[in-house]
Amino acid sequence: MKVSILVSATKEAREAANLLLKHHESVPPSQADVLVVLGGDGTMLEMLHRYIDDRKPVYGMNCGTVGFLMNTFRPENLMERLKRAQVAHLRPLRMQVKNYQGESHEALAINEVSLLRQSAQAAKIRVSVDNHERLKELVCDGVLVSTPAGSTAYNFSAHGPILPIGSNLLALTPISAFRPRRWRGALLPHRSSVEFEIHETEKRPVSAVADFYEVRNVVHVSVAEDPEKEIKILFDPEHALEERIISEQFIRRVELTHTSEVISADMKPSAALRGSKNSSMRLAIEAVKEGRADAVVSAGNTGAYMALSKISLRTLKGIDRPAITTVLPSITGDVVMLDLGANVECSPENLVQFAIMGEVFARCVLGKDNPSVGLLNVGVEELKGNPTVREAHEFLKTNNVVPNLYGFVEGDDFAKGTVDVLVTDGFTGNVALKSIEGTVRLVTGYLRKSLKKSWLTRLVSPLFLPILQSLRQKLDPRRHNGAIFLGLNGIAVKSHGGTDAFGFSHAVGVAVDIVNNRVNDRICAELKDSDRLAAAKRSSTSE
């Protein structure tokens, strides 16, 4: 039996390949009887897509985190394991898309086809199954069609059902459905054809994603099983996919872990890195690293949290330092602001990387087509500011790494919504954020006092109460609590240390939204397809 060993680019996978090659010869995929994949589920999906037309069985060994589609890595007895392996037969979905430019696209999905809103507006989607209209208008964040193999992934996190392999079913699952509010999705025969028609496409743009392949601004999407394609995945008998799918449904989703150490508010990051191995912060971050949790949320020591997250989760390729990033309201709409306290001192290169990440975040998450980027400064003139800010601005302007560079902005430009992305160092950003929060409390406090100033104001105050409550809700810092460490290979959300239970629950909600909308995956895809970070690195090095 001839095997072709296909390896992920990670250090763990390369080391595993070296061990495997000591015992077994690897031939080119075209000459192999079985393809052996070393890596995680992402690598497995990539290889399944790449060699789907070869119709060869694929056997994966886990060198990543979750490894749901993989077997346990062992370098010995590979041939015996392959002979004993059980075959899981999968058929992919074929997605056919038209965007509002009239262009047509096709792609295969082994896990799921997802439709996701691109803007702050909820999507409005007409759903038909086998040419019969089933939902005239689904108002939601998105909707997906999942195969049994993909039902434990994004579908399950969106509260969809887990489908056993061989069930001949597809899962149609809404993502945060607003209307019909109680609709939880549907189980469909595997030969069903599902069609989605997007309403109000310019006001409520929607993207369609088939595993790795994304099409933006779609108007019509059809999804059906492709009967011509078949995938064969091999599993050890004790590690069969059917058993894993059943077991997944009985996993406890809430687990309490006792910790005996505490990272105090005044502990230095270096001390947290050296010790505190049994602290809740470190263990929670490790759970994300190992795939036992999708995200970590902490209101603890920001410096220690950032240091531990960076060491454990690592940064995205090309990123030196993550930035605390959040979305805040302004007169004209949402504004992405970074950094909010992770990096007290920044180099010009750091600010350039923040600008690129913020621009990608605004496009991928907020759906802004051409987000404008500004650097926070003491004035808008190019001669003002410290050398770090001026050098970063000069680089951004000269190298065009951010398509829509506005230039310098001042503190009052945030509330005006002058730019879509506001970039600054962590010291300035943290001071600005807390100044904004304090100003909100000051204004609402003045309003309350003014309405209680005299018998006349008390008499008319009930008339203003709804307006005041609406204003308070819009400006309530707790409703905007929860900032992501942008630039990490994992989801880490920072909550304000002084918030209450309501504010912390909002931070948890931010983490859930980021996971459900696969924000990191989309940003990684954008950065992977762009050479902007590499250009920034090369320029900085040459200087």
Side-chain angles (χ1 to χ4, degrees), residues 211-525:
D211 287 351
F212 306 121
Y213 186 82
E214 180 181 25
V215 182
R216 296 177 70 82
N217 303 317
V218 302
V219 296
H220 186 272
V221 180
S222 64
V223 181
E225 187 179 84
D226 191 330
E228 303 299 322
K229 305 287 185 182
E230 184 183 43
I231 297 168
K232 300 175 184 177
I233 305 181
L234 302 178
F235 292 97
D236 295 331
E238 67 276 11
H239 215 51
L241 185 58
E242 290 90 341
E243 174 58 30
R244 271 188 263 184
I245 286 178
I246 294 172
S247 299
E248 184 74 13
Q249 300 174 73
F250 294 91
I251 292 176
R252 291 176 60 191
R253 294 294 161 185
V254 177
E255 181 180 338
L256 298 178
T257 302
H258 174 71
T259 61
S260 58
E261 297 180 49
V262 175
I263 295 178
S264 62
D266 58 352
M267 181 180 285
K268 293 183 178 180
S270 56
L273 288 172
R274 288 194 302 269
S276 64
K277 291 185 178 180
N278 197 35
S279 66
S280 61
M281 183 183 290
R282 184 187 285 268
L283 292 178
I285 294 169
E286 290 295 325
V288 174
K289 177 184 177 181
E290 295 166 5
R292 294 182 288 109
D294 294 312
V296 54
V297 182
S298 176
N301 183 317
T302 302
Y305 188 28
M306 172 58 77
L308 290 170
S309 297
K310 184 178 178 181
I311 291 296
S312 294
L313 302 178
R314 305 293 182 182
T315 56
L316 300 175
K317 184 179 180 181
I319 299 296
D320 293 326
R321 296 184 182 181
I324 298 180
T325 307
T326 194
V327 179
L328 297 173
S330 74
I331 294 174
T332 59
D334 290 333
V335 174
V336 178
M337 188 172 179
L338 70 168
D339 176 27
L340 299 178
N343 306 282
V344 174
E345 295 181 357
C346 290
S347 66
E349 185 179 13
N350 295 146
L351 295 180
V352 170
Q353 293 173 5
F354 295 168
I356 294 172
M357 289 195 297
E359 192 267 346
V360 173
F361 186 91
R363 273 192 296 112
C364 291
V365 180
L366 302 185
K368 295 180 181 287
D369 290 331
N370 189 26
S372 55
V373 179
L375 289 169
L376 189 61
N377 200 1
V378 294
V380 297
E381 297 84 2
E382 293 192 6
L383 294 177
K384 288 191 174 181
N386 59 41
T388 300
V389 174
R390 293 203 307 271
E391 188 177 334
H393 176 264
E394 182 63 27
F395 176 82
L396 289 168
K397 186 176 72 171
T398 304
N399 292 274
N400 195 34
V401 293
V402 173
N404 188 7
L405 178 66
Y406 180 87
F408 289 134
V409 293
E410 296 181 280
D412 61 341
D413 285 308
F414 161 77
K416 296 176 185 176
T418 304
V419 293
D420 299 309
V421 180
L422 196 152
V423 177
T424 184
D425 62 84
F427 181 89
T428 308
N430 190 268
V431 171
L433 178 65
K434 291 178 179 176
S435 298
I436 293 166
E437 294 171 351
T439 302
V440 169
R441 295 190 185 98
L442 178 67
V443 171
T444 54
Y446 275 153
L447 284 172
R448 283 196 209 94
K449 286 183 179 180
S450 297
L451 292 174
K452 296 178 181 179
K453 194 171 184 180
S454 66
W455 67 267
L456 182 60
T457 56
R458 288 192 182 95
L459 182 65
V460 300
S461 62
L463 299 175
F464 294 97
L465 191 59
I467 298 174
L468 185 61
Q469 288 176 337
S470 175
L471 180 64
R472 181 182 178 183
Q473 286 186 353
K474 288 181 180 178
L475 299 179
D476 188 350
R478 300 176 305 166
R479 295 181 181 273
H480 304 285
N481 185 42
I484 181 175
F485 284 172
L486 197 60
L488 288 176
N489 273 313
I491 305 300
V493 173
K494 178 67 176 73
S495 168
H496 195 301
T499 193
D500 57 12
F502 179 82
F504 193 83
S505 70
H506 192 278
V508 174
V510 169
V512 171
D513 287 342
I514 291 170
V515 171
N516 285 345
N517 288 297
R518 297 191 292 190
V519 169
N520 255 18
D521 291 342
R522 298 173 73 181
I523 291 177
C524 285

Side-chain angles (χ1 to χ4, degrees), residues 52-53 55 90-96 106-109 147 170 190-192 223-231:
I52 192 170
D53 291 327
R55 296 179 175 269
L90 310 176
R91 291 198 182 277
L93 301 173
R94 181 170 293 278
M95 176 183 77
Q96 296 177 308
E106 283 194 14
L108 294 176
T147 66
L170 300 175
H190 71 109
R191 298 193 184 281
S192 299
V223 181
E225 187 179 84
D226 191 330
E228 303 299 322
K229 305 287 185 182
E230 184 183 43
I231 297 168

